[in-house]
């Protein structure tokens, strides 16, 4: 079963898309509607020629995996719902995946279908139903996410996209480590393979419960000393650092770098608008610290 929507190649040259992105980036600077930023990746996907779409396929799968996981959470909470339909409005999931997310089958049946028919899950994430029964939806999410990263790093991924995902893996592993240190959970964390930060280093910090060592690691990764080690501040510091890296990559790679920077910019602006919307009534200085620049 195809994970993403399959469309015909319109044959537009790459230069056409790059020129339109530059124009749309300027136009969106004054845009204040979050949904516009959420829908922009779908516009890019449809404008790409097949060569570019294949290059960025890992990015779109990673982005749409979050859609799938949120749909599964909705199903766990209340079954198929209007929220699911709304979430899928701007999604790039294939028609079959959309139908599956809205199907009346129970969650375990959905997990069995995902495990049998989605290639990166089938080859790298066996036993989803067992994970759900033993660890709940959290275990399923961890297993599917780890499977996707394994799939991306082992396929013929564009070098720039691979650098992006290696950084994403490191960031996710740092957040995972922080959560286990802060809440002293008894379960072992699942660190994702493929990052630059050695799993032995992460495990050593976890065993010693050394929060200063974690702060040092975050500082080395971001250049920022996070005074209050809450998950939001750490995630923000990591995202800011990645934003800076992507801007540098754009200068070095005017084609793929520009497209990646635009996709990332749309994602961060959507997040920032969500923070502003839900943070009404909170002090401006506090909100400023939450925003990704």
């Amino acid at each position: 079963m195809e994970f993403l929507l399959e469309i015909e190649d319109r044959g537009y040259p790459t230069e056409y898309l790059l020129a339109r992105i530059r124009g749309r980036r300027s136009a969106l600077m004054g845009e204040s509607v979050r949904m516009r930023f959420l829908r922009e990746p779908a516009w890019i996907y449809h404008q790409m020629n097949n060569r570019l779409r294949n290059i960025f396929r890992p990015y779109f799968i990673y982005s749409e995996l979050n859609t799938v996981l949120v749909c599964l959470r909705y199903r766990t909470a209340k079954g198929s719902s209007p929220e699911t339909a709304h979430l899928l409005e701007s999604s790039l999931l294939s028609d079959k995946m959309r139908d599956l997310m809205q199907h009346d089958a129970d969650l375990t049946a959905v997990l069995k279908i995902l495990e049998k028919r989605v290639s990166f899950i089938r080859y790298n994430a066996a036993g989803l139903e067992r994970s759900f029964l033993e660890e709940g939806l959290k275990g399923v999410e961890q297993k599917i996410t780890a499977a996707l990263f394994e799939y991306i790093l082992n396929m013929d991924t564009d070098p720039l996209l691979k650098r992006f995902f290696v950084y994403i893996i490191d960031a996710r592993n740092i957040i995972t480590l922080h959560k286990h240190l802060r809440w002293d959970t008894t379960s072992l964390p699942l660190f994702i393979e493929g990052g630059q930060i050695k799993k032995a280093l992460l495990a050593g910090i976890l065993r010693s419960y050394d929060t200063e060592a974690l702060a040092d690691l975050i500082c080395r990764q971001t250049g920022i000393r996070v005074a209050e080690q809450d998950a939001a501040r750490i995630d923000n510091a990591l995202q800011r650092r990645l934003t800076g890296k992507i801007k540098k990559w754009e200068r070095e790679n005017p084609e793929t770098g520009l497209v990646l920077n635009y996709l990332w910019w749309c994602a961060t602006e959507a997040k920032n608008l969500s923070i502003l919307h839900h943070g009404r009534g909170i002090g401006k200085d506090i909100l400023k610290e939450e925003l990704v620049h």
Side-chain angles (χ1 to χ4, degrees):
M1 179 168 63
E2 291 294 335
F3 192 79
L4 295 177
L5 183 67
E6 293 289 319
I7 60 175
E8 292 184 9
D9 185 2
R10 297 185 179 186
Y12 294 150
T14 299
E15 291 75 15
Y16 161 85
L17 176 62
L18 301 183
R20 294 206 66 186
I21 284 177
R22 293 186 186 99
R24 288 174 78 90
R25 181 155 57 182
S26 299
L28 279 171
M29 286 293 186
E31 179 63 66
S32 60
V33 181
R34 177 171 175 262
M35 186 54 69
R36 177 72 182 273
F37 285 102
L38 291 175
R39 289 173 177 165
E40 198 68 1
W43 175 84
I44 295 174
Y45 185 83
H46 283 81
Q47 298 298 312
M48 285 177 164
N49 54 42
N50 277 347
R51 185 184 69 83
L52 266 184
R53 197 176 297 118
N54 286 333
I55 289 174
F56 281 91
R57 180 178 174 80
Y59 181 95
F60 288 114
I61 294 177
Y62 174 70
S63 179
E64 290 300 331
L65 177 61
N66 184 63
T67 304
V68 170
L69 297 180
V70 173
C71 287
L72 294 181
R73 287 178 213 148
Y74 283 150
R75 183 181 294 273
T76 303
K78 62 186 77 172
S80 186
S81 65
E83 288 92 339
T84 299
H86 179 69
L87 184 65
L88 293 172
E89 284 180 6
S90 56
S91 172
L92 288 170
L93 290 174
S94 68
D95 290 340
K96 289 183 178 180
M97 284 296 299
R98 286 167 177 263
D99 290 343
L100 180 61
M101 292 301 101
Q102 298 181 95
H103 199 274
D104 291 334
D106 62 37
L107 182 59
T108 55
V110 172
L111 294 179
K112 287 179 180 178
I113 294 173
L114 289 174
E115 189 173 338
K116 289 179 179 179
R117 299 185 184 176
V118 177
S119 58
F120 74 86
I121 299 176
R122 182 170 71 246
Y123 295 126
N124 302 307
L128 291 184
E129 184 179 5
R130 180 175 178 180
S131 294
F132 177 67
L133 295 175
E134 293 179 352
E135 304 173 72
L137 193 55
K138 176 184 175 183
V140 171
E141 292 178 349
Q142 289 180 333
K143 194 156 191 155
I144 293 178
T145 302
L148 177 58
F149 281 115
E150 183 178 352
Y151 171 78
I152 289 173
L153 295 182
N154 287 326
M155 66 186 293
D156 188 23
T157 302
D158 179 86
L160 180 57
L161 271 294
K162 189 165 288 190
R163 289 163 69 187
F164 170 79
F165 282 111
V166 166
Y167 194 91
I168 291 289
I169 290 171
D170 285 337
R172 292 181 71 109
N173 283 341
I174 287 174
I175 292 294
T176 297
L177 174 59
H178 168 262
K179 288 179 178 178
H180 278 260
L181 285 176
R182 182 168 183 177
W183 287 294
D184 192 20
T185 58
T186 55
S187 62
L188 292 175
L190 178 61
F191 293 123
I192 301 170
E193 299 279 359
Q196 287 189 321
I197 303 173
K198 301 298 183 184
K199 290 177 67 175
L201 174 61
L202 299 168
I205 295 174
L206 180 64
R207 283 195 303 271
S208 63
Y209 279 86
D210 190 345
T211 55
E212 279 304 307
L214 174 59
D216 291 341
L217 175 60
I218 295 168
C219 190
R220 289 197 299 272
Q221 288 290 304
T222 67
I224 300 171
R225 172 68 62 169
V226 180
E228 298 179 26
Q229 289 190 30
D230 65 84
R233 288 178 183 271
I234 294 173
D235 186 52
N236 187 273
L238 291 166
Q239 289 200 47
R240 288 186 184 186
R241 178 61 170 167
L242 181 53
T243 296
K245 283 183 174 289
I246 291 174
K247 290 178 180 177
K248 177 176 178 290
W249 295 339
E250 179 181 354
R251 294 191 294 270
E252 298 170 348
N253 303 270
E255 182 180 292
T256 54
L258 172 63
V259 177
L260 177 61
N261 191 14
Y262 188 64
L263 288 167
W264 181 252
W265 178 68
C266 289
T268 54
E269 285 303 300
K271 179 180 178 180
N272 286 340
L273 288 170
S274 179
I275 290 171
L276 291 172
H277 175 73
H278 294 290
R280 288 174 294 183
I282 298 176
K284 291 183 178 180
D285 290 341
I286 297 176
L287 278 178
K288 185 177 179 181
E289 289 297 315
E290 298 293 326
L291 299 177
V292 180
H293 305 292

